[in-house]
Amino acid sequence: MSQEAYIFEAIRTPRGRGKQSGSLHEVAPVELLATLMREMQQRHDLDTSQVDDVVLGCVTPIGDQGADVARTAVLYADWDVDVPGVQLNRFCASGLEAVNMAAMKVRSGWEQLVVAGGVESMSRIPMGSDGGAMMLDPKVSSKVNFVPQGIGADLIATMEGFSRGDVDAFAVRSQQRAAHAWENGYFQRSVVPVKDQNGLIILEQDEHIRPDSTLASLGKLNPAFAAMGELGFDALAQQVYTEVETINHVHTAGNSSGIVDGAALVLIGSKEKGAALGLKPRAKIRSAALVGTEPTIMLIGPGPASQKALKLAGMTAKDIDLFEINEAFASVVLRFMRDMGIEGAENVNVNGGAIAMGHPLGATGAMLLGTVLDELERTDLSTALISLCVGGGMGIATVIERV
Amino acid sequence: MAIQYAKDEQNIVTLTLDRPDRSANVINAEFGAALAAVLARLQAEADLAGVIVTSAKKTFMAGGDLEWLYAATDAAEIFASAEALKAGFRTLEKLGVPVVAALNGTALGGGLELALACHHRIAINDPRLKLGFPEVTLGLLPGGGGVTRLPRMIGLQASFPLLTEGAQLDPVAAKTAGLIDELADDVADLLTKARAWIVANPQAAQPWDKPGYRIPGGDPRQPKVGQMLSVAPAMLKKRTFGNYPAPEAILSVMVEGTVVDFETASRIESRYFAQLATSQVAKNMINAFWFQLNEISAGASRPKAVPPQETRKVGVLGAGMMGHGIAYVTAVSHLPVVLKDVTLEQAEAGKAKIAALLDKRVAKGKLTREERDAALARVQPTADAADLADCDLIIEAVFEDRSLKATVTQEAEAVVGEATLFASNTSTLPITGLAKASQRPSNFIGLHFFSPVERMKLVEIITGAETSAETLAKAFDFVLKIRKTPIVVNDSRGFYTSRVFATYVKEGLALLGEGQHPRAIESAGLQAGMPVGPLALSDEVSLGLMLHIREQTRQDLAAEGQTMPAHPSDAVLDVMTGEYGRYGKARGAGFYDYPAGGKKQLWPELTTIFPPQGEPLSQPEMIERLMFVQALEAVRCLEENVVTNAADANIGAIFGWGFAPFKGGTLQYINDYGVAAFTQRSQALAEKFGDRFLPPERLQVMAASGAQF
């Protein structure tokens, strides 16, 4: 019988707008990680030499965040030199993949204490800067019928019948819930302000958020993917989804996830190691699952991945108190709710999500886990399911339970 | 108003930097307010054709307000003021009309940063006009946009030495380096050229504000540049041992700043600037190289009642290494000098060495042929004491032998006038004793030059028991005249510099005697910030000389009825010389081997002769021993009135034997450590390693009262 993997801590930076004028543009990604590593160490007086590995997601691992940013951050943050580090890339799921991999390491019994998390400075290293055959090698992209994610999201909306009003309403809800959570200090425990070398604060709150968004204001935004669809991507998608007559381009900058900079860390370990170091277990990881799905529509993985994870945990959707689904696009979450038979449920993304606060690719999964764990504790609930859609047609899910 | 505003009929506005009631312009709050005011006025001009920025002073602008910066401790305040200044510079370069810096004089630091915020820079071609970024020498970085703009102007590689070494270039070199664009003959030509450029370039904008701009030579994300940058920190640490945060911060700003946009880069620069400005290292360096050096040059240790004294002609006795060096620095300072030795041949050999030194300066472009000839013509070699007759200062630089020094003193005094000063360039012999040979001991003084004289900036002035205030004043003024830095000390064994320096060397030997690894000892010295490790230094000084000085001291003390206290280095010195005949570099063998044509290497036998005992000391502990022992001796010198103020002690240490400049000198080392903490630590070291670490009473009193040096 393998040992359980417990979550002791989950912290994150605030998210800065992912452009030159964003507050975190001046902060190197390794510095974002070091901010959290120092905080993690200080918060628990952690003997870092006890950490077996640091597993960090980063989706565009080049330039400032290239060359194994995990090991780099360990050394830069003055953690013990004995601590190794690895960077992984499962596209948008990387942060949660890191958590799941850490849990697997612990559950295997081969490692006892692992830091998971991720980082992405999207302002410094724009999406796609690392190239890749899926998108750029014609024989490959042609074979997999590659279309950009936004086309996939619009395809979902079209096939599911989500109108522009539906997705905009969802976006407004995300903004209002995120603003409400910030106003009431729900994120206080876990968001670590980013400071400069003098201790001067650079950013202490998510800055992508627009609490004053309304259906009317969002309704004015132009569809983001219509033009590129027109070029040929729509036609390509329709060759795969033959029953679709017209793709309804409902997604805009206002109901898609924001491009931001940020980082997150989660401390995961065995009960014994936690006890030896005086760490209080907050939750255990009940199960973790991955799926591959049809790549053109790309973003329908959360449902099947969640079913797989629930099955592993011997649970059903009814056993989950809170769902935390990445708001890559509004239609992804709406489709997920339909897939899970929880349409209209109020316990999904109760404190908003990436539409309001942004999606720092490599870090988001770990941020979602921390956000929902904080909320479980605040409302004294027990179980949560975290899931993200993933580029290339994949899905990821994790089930946690408070202890 | 610190900036005058004048608009001409061509609609060109000339901004003239003119700080009221002061001789030089400086960047301070008053300047900031004036800049904001003129910028607002410029923005309100409807028909502005261009702007010329120049100065009403001899210099253009020499930088920031160090008094304010030295006192500032609030990083937020420094950050905000840097950001405010830069916002002004940014407004200037984005006015939309051509802006020309007309550099009528020296532009350093903030002055040059202002010039870089102009679209075009023209300087008067006068070799005395200096351009550069000396901030790094004070532990700072150019926080007015210098580190953001320079790499964008001339590339990362070319910027690196200019920003991290602090060189000051003349206009020709500055133009070659790309710091300035044009040279002018004089002020009239300067302003004509500035106007012409404005008329010819009505659309002027900075390169980095034009579309398609790329950093010259590439940015850090390009593999070729990345490769060069990967070695840069190693190059820095090779010379800084990580003791100097400023060059490292400059490199960081260069690299971090060139992967982001201009505004973000500027802000990154301000953050590093605030960090450096509030750092202890910057405080140490500003204290030493600005305040204390200025204090010394202003004559803090000079008798105030005596009016300025002029030296008209100098006689140097002995044309050896020290003698010809002293004659050289005198001659290049436009003073005639008689160089006397026993034979004319020896004196002429000394003059030939002076010629060689001058030729080197000519080759480097630091001296013209005419200046070289004139300087050499001022040196008169002779073997005849009668030629000294009209000298008003005699400096003897003969062998360190009391009777020989007495002989040359009397020989010279026989021919010179009554008012003539007699100075001895001794490094060890007490001045009061040497003065006994003189008919006029009140005219007798010590002028301790350091070797090589042409490079070493310090002169230690030693007053004997009978030295008069006039004599001291004249000697002091002479040292300033030859552009050296004088410190004034009272007569004592080893004076100040040799006495404190010796403690460093001896501590290194003591560590070896305890069985510490010789390389670890040398490494500790270097990491402490000393220019040379103590064992290598012993070899340079020669173990024979150390032995000689020790025996002389023993005899002198015996004559006074005292016993010389034992030192753990004694045994090491005895074993090295007595048992193994290793007397140092000059004799080809000391703590190091000196293979012919090869690099010196530590003598492998050292670890056998002085075998390890117990646990080796850590580097920090060895570093503390090597530094504490010097700082403590400096306190004793102050307590015994050998040195009389912190400036002389600190500058004497840095300029005399290269005491870790980033610590700001021997006494500042204690301030840096914290007087109370230092005192406590000394006590602990004394308990572990011996009484030489016992804190003197003065230190204990200061620690108790919270005072500082």
Side-chain angles (χ1 to χ4, degrees):
Chain A
M1 182 63 201
S2 65
Q3 62 184 359
E4 295 286 351
Y6 292 90
I7 301 166
F8 301 115
E9 184 59 283
I11 52 178
R12 64 186 185 276
T13 65
R15 282 163 267 192
R17 275 190 310 275
K19 42 184 165 183
Q20 276 186 6
S21 59
S23 293
L24 295 185
H25 182 57
E26 67 171 274
V27 184
V30 72
E31 196 71 58
L32 295 175
L33 288 169
T35 297
L36 296 179
M37 286 182 156
R38 293 186 199 111
E39 174 72 17
M40 179 88 82
Q41 195 281 325
Q42 284 162 15
R43 215 177 252 202
H44 299 284
D45 193 19
L46 181 66
D47 174 0
T48 57
S49 73
Q50 298 300 300
V51 175
D52 291 309
D53 199 5
V54 174
V55 183
L56 297 180
C58 180
V59 177
T60 318
I62 61 165
D64 300 341
Q65 54 197 25
D68 193 351
V69 71
R71 173 65 174 164
T72 309
V74 161
L75 296 175
Y76 177 64
D78 284 320
W79 275 29
D80 198 282
V81 291
D82 291 353
V83 183
V86 64
Q87 170 266 326
L88 60 78
N89 180 11
R90 197 185 291 281
F91 303 136
C92 302
S94 299
L96 194 61
E97 176 64 33
V99 168
N100 292 352
M101 194 180 282
M104 291 176 200
K105 281 166 170 265
V106 171
R107 286 175 67 91
S108 75
W110 287 358
E111 293 182 1
Q112 308 304 321
L113 192 63
V114 180
V115 171
V119 66
E120 206 78 37
S121 177
M122 300 181 74
S123 70
R124 287 185 169 221
I125 313 291
M127 258 191 296
S129 310
D130 59 339
M134 183 122 52
M135 187 168 61
L136 297 180
D137 184 338
K139 67 179 180 290
V140 179
S141 62
S142 174
K143 173 114 181 184
V144 303
N145 291 312
F146 169 83
V147 299
Q149 294 172 21
I151 303 286
D154 286 341
L155 184 58
I156 292 173
T158 306
M159 291 171 67
E160 299 294 331
F162 302 140
S163 69
R164 172 72 184 265
D166 294 337
V167 290
D168 279 351
F170 182 84
V172 169
R173 198 190 74 162
S174 178
Q175 294 286 1
Q176 287 169 348
R177 288 183 168 191
H180 178 264
W182 266 111
E183 276 161 28
N184 290 281
Y186 297 171
F187 300 141
Q188 205 65 38
R189 185 195 181 287
S190 303
V191 173
V192 180
V194 176
K195 298 177 183 172
D196 77 356
Q197 58 268 60
N198 305 293
L200 306 179
I201 286 177
I202 294 174
L203 185 66
E204 53 187 342
Q205 276 218 358
D206 295 328
E207 68 176 351
H208 183 271
I209 198 163
R210 285 169 176 248
D212 51 352
S213 297
T214 62
L215 270 178
S217 69
L218 291 183
K220 289 189 191 116
L221 297 172
N222 288 325
F225 308 102
M228 65 168 73
E230 186 70 23
L231 284 176
F233 285 127
D234 281 1
L236 186 63
Q238 285 166 298
Q239 286 170 28
V240 181
Y241 291 87
T242 49
E243 72 277 26
V244 174
E245 194 181 343
T246 320
I247 293 182
N248 187 13
H249 288 291
V250 297
H251 286 98
T252 66
N255 53 36
S256 310
S257 55
I259 289 173
V260 292
D261 301 335
L265 289 185
V266 182
L267 184 61
I268 294 165
S270 66
K271 189 169 221 162
E272 289 70 27
K273 182 57 85 176
L277 296 174
L279 298 165
K280 189 172 162 287
R282 297 171 64 193
K284 67 180 169 190
I285 295 168
R286 288 282 304 263
S287 66
L290 288 159
V291 296
T293 57
E294 195 284 309
T296 300
I297 197 165
M298 201 184 306
L299 311 173
I300 56 169
S306 298
Q307 296 294 5
K308 190 173 173 184
L310 286 169
K311 195 172 168 202
L312 280 170
M315 299 165 85
T316 69
K318 290 191 179 60
D319 299 319
I320 297 298
D321 294 326
L322 295 173
F323 293 90
E324 194 72 25
I325 313 306
N326 189 35
E327 296 173 356
F329 301 90
S331 69
V332 170
V333 188
L334 295 174
R335 158 89 188 233
F336 168 83
M337 290 162 78
R338 190 168 282 176
D339 283 354
M340 299 298 286
I342 55 168
E343 227 169 329
E346 280 300 311
N347 63 340
V348 179
N349 297 2
V350 294
N351 290 325
I355 289 174
M357 293 176 285
H359 175 22
L361 306 180
T364 306
M367 286 187 172
L368 297 181
L369 180 105
T371 303
V372 79
L373 176 55
D374 284 347
E375 184 65 11
L376 285 179
E377 289 175 348
R378 190 185 72 81
T379 52
D380 198 21
L381 293 169
S382 174
T383 56
L385 183 144
I386 305 104
S387 180
L388 298 91
C389 59
V390 188
M394 295 186 278
I396 191 168
T398 303
V399 176
I400 64 169
E401 180 178 1
R402 281 177 65 213
V403 291
Chain B
M1 193 67 172
I3 305 174
Q4 294 171 19
Y5 189 105
K7 189 175 174 186
D8 66 15
E9 64 288 347
Q10 286 178 287
N11 293 320
I12 293 172
V13 168
T14 300
L15 301 178
T16 307
L17 312 181
D18 191 7
R19 189 184 180 199
D21 310 319
R22 301 298 275 269
S23 62
N25 296 305
V26 67
I27 291 181
N28 56 11
E30 188 192 4
F31 171 82
L35 181 66
V38 297
L39 285 170
R41 212 169 144 187
L42 286 169
Q43 284 173 313
E45 294 280 1
D47 49 6
L48 188 64
V51 180
I52 297 171
V53 185
T54 191
S55 154
K57 312 294 189 194
K58 212 172 106 215
T59 55
F60 179 74
M61 180 143 73
D65 180 356
L66 285 170
E67 267 176 58
W68 175 77
L69 208 54
Y70 182 67
T73 53
D74 181 6
E77 185 193 350
I78 296 168
F79 175 73
S81 78
E83 286 288 281
L85 177 70
K86 283 196 265 208
F89 286 179
R90 191 76 180 125
T91 305
L92 183 68
E93 73 182 356
K94 294 188 88 172
L95 274 176
V97 298
V99 181
V100 178
L103 304 171
N104 58 304
T106 289
L108 297 172
L112 187 53
E113 290 181 292
L114 170 57
L116 295 195
C118 301
H119 303 119
H120 192 70
R121 286 153 290 280
I122 313 171
I124 294 181
N125 188 10
D126 175 347
R128 286 166 303 182
L129 190 157
K130 297 296 177 201
L131 301 148
F133 292 107
E135 285 89 343
V136 69
T137 63
L138 297 174
L140 300 170
L141 62 74
V147 193
T148 301
R149 286 194 179 86
L150 194 62
R152 283 172 164 77
M153 267 175 58
I154 64 171
L156 285 158
Q157 192 161 8
S159 303
F160 184 63
L162 290 172
L163 292 167
T164 59
E165 290 166 19
Q168 301 183 10
L169 308 182
D170 63 32
V172 173
K175 184 162 181 291
T176 308
L179 279 178
I180 58 170
D181 306 294
E182 253 189 282
L183 298 172
D185 298 329
D186 50 34
V187 172
D189 187 36
L190 181 70
L191 295 176
T192 305
K193 282 182 164 147
R195 272 168 223 287
W197 195 86
I198 286 170
V199 171
N201 296 275
Q203 302 299 324
Q206 295 286 28
W208 45 90
D209 289 326
K210 291 178 186 164
Y213 167 75
R214 293 268 179 277
I215 288 169
D219 69 48
R221 294 221 168 105
Q222 287 165 265
K224 223 178 88 186
V225 179
Q227 225 162 41
M228 173 196 81
L229 289 172
S230 72
V231 74
M235 285 165 66
L236 280 182
K237 272 200 173 169
K238 185 178 170 183
R239 59 185 165 96
T240 66
F241 291 88
N243 290 326
Y244 294 83
E248 288 178 30
I250 289 168
L251 181 61
S252 285
V253 176
M254 287 171 63
V255 175
E256 290 182 40
T258 46
V259 297
V260 295
D261 59 293
F262 187 93
E263 268 71 22
T264 305
S266 262
R267 197 161 57 249
I268 290 172
E269 181 189 285
S270 297
R271 294 194 190 282
Y272 277 100
F273 177 69
Q275 183 185 26
L276 289 179
T278 51
S279 73
Q280 185 61 46
V281 169
K283 305 293 183 201
N284 291 344
M285 293 178 84
I286 295 171
N287 183 55
F289 299 120
W290 182 253
F291 291 108
Q292 296 194 326
L293 202 52
N294 286 346
E295 192 182 318
I296 286 173
S297 309
S301 295
R302 182 191 183 282
K304 293 185 190 31
V306 184
Q309 301 289 304
E310 204 187 333
T311 296
R312 277 176 287 273
K313 189 171 181 183
V314 178
V316 177
L317 311 182
M321 192 171 72
M322 296 306 290
H324 87 254
I326 296 167
Y328 164 80
V329 296
T330 307
V332 295
S333 302
H334 304 277
L335 283 175
V337 52
V338 178
L339 183 58
K340 181 193 174 298
D341 210 313
V342 180
T343 67
L344 185 60
E345 289 69 38
Q346 281 168 304
E348 276 174 345
K351 182 168 177 176
K353 285 184 190 145
I354 294 172
L357 287 172
L358 289 166
D359 289 342
K360 241 194 256 174
R361 303 260 302 162
V362 173
K364 278 190 188 160
K366 306 264 181 198
L367 214 61
T368 65
R369 199 79 222 159
E370 295 70 40
E371 284 166 333
R372 177 246 184 229
D373 292 345
L376 199 57
R378 284 191 280 272
V379 181
Q380 178 195 349
T382 184
D384 185 358
D387 287 338
L388 300 167
D390 54 350
C391 292
D392 54 352
L393 169 64
I394 305 287
I395 304 170
E396 69 79 5
V398 301
F399 188 68
E400 292 277 275
D401 178 285
R402 283 203 178 91
S403 63
L404 177 60
K405 286 186 189 287
T407 309
V408 301
T409 305
Q410 283 151 3
E411 222 174 73
E413 280 186 349
V415 296
V416 299
E418 293 222 337
T420 296
L421 242 63
F422 195 96
S424 171
N425 171 51
T426 178
S427 56
T428 51
L429 301 172
I431 291 301
T432 308
L434 293 179
K436 293 208 167 89
S438 168
Q439 299 166 29
R440 298 180 285 270
S442 68
N443 284 8
F444 201 98
I445 198 161
L447 283 182
H448 177 197
F449 287 83
F450 293 72
S451 177
V453 178
E454 69 276 11
R455 279 220 313 269
M456 299 293 284
K457 283 182 278 196
L458 191 72
V459 176
E460 186 176 27
I461 302 178
I462 305 111
T463 56
E466 296 187 57
T467 305
S468 71
E470 289 72 21
T471 299
L472 172 57
K474 186 165 179 178
F476 193 98
D477 294 349
F478 167 73
V479 173
L480 285 183
K481 164 82 180 167
I482 59 171
R483 279 171 287 173
K484 299 280 183 199
T485 302
I487 64 165
V488 178
V489 311
N490 288 309
D491 206 4
S492 144
R493 193 180 320 286
F495 316 132
Y496 169 70
T497 55
S498 304
R499 174 171 161 181
V500 180
F501 164 75
T503 63
Y504 168 63
V505 175
K506 289 202 294 196
E507 197 59 29
L509 269 56
L511 285 164
L512 185 65
E514 290 167 29
Q516 300 302 328
H517 193 280
R519 176 57 205 166
I521 298 169
E522 296 293 79
S523 175
L526 295 170
Q527 301 221 34
M530 302 299 292
V532 185
L535 302 181
L537 214 43
S538 305
D539 277 5
E540 299 281 341
V541 170
S542 113
L543 278 59
L545 181 61
M546 288 166 70
L547 208 57
H548 173 78
I549 293 170
R550 193 182 82 194
E551 290 319 307
Q552 184 71 50
T553 306
R554 192 193 304 285
Q555 283 169 28
D556 289 355
L557 284 172
E560 294 164 27
Q562 296 181 54
T563 316
M564 188 178 74
H567 191 281
S569 66
D570 294 344
V572 176
L573 202 52
D574 292 337
V575 169
M576 288 297 289
T577 53
E579 282 185 39
Y580 297 97
R582 299 181 72 97
Y583 282 86
K585 187 180 176 185
R587 303 262 293 264
F591 291 109
Y592 285 79
D593 284 329
Y594 296 87
K599 225 177 117 190
K600 72 177 174 192
Q601 285 170 336
L602 278 159
W603 185 36
E605 293 304 312
L606 289 177
T607 47
T608 314
I609 299 168
F610 307 104
Q613 304 163 19
E615 279 290 298
L617 287 181
S618 69
Q619 282 282 301
E621 204 162 10
M622 280 201 258
I623 289 171
E624 280 198 348
R625 275 178 63 176
L626 291 169
M627 301 310 270
F628 268 56
V629 78
Q630 298 178 72
L632 285 162
E633 195 68 14
V635 177
R636 289 186 200 105
C637 285
L638 197 64
E639 206 171 46
E640 294 165 25
N641 208 32
V642 174
V643 280
T644 58
N645 58 59
D648 282 353
N650 286 329
I651 294 296
I654 297 171
F655 287 1
W657 70 96
F659 184 92
F662 73 102
K663 290 292 183 187
T666 41
L667 296 179
Q668 181 63 21
Y669 180 92
I670 301 173
N671 291 343
D672 173 301
Y673 202 96
V675 176
F678 180 91
T679 308
Q680 216 170 20
R681 181 76 182 129
S682 298
Q683 195 71 50
L685 288 172
E687 278 155 30
K688 218 167 151 189
F689 301 112
D691 287 354
R692 62 192 182 281
F693 290 102
L694 276 177
E697 197 186 327
R698 180 173 186 139
L699 206 52
Q700 300 185 21
V701 172
M702 286 175 67
S705 68
Q708 282 208 325
F709 291 104

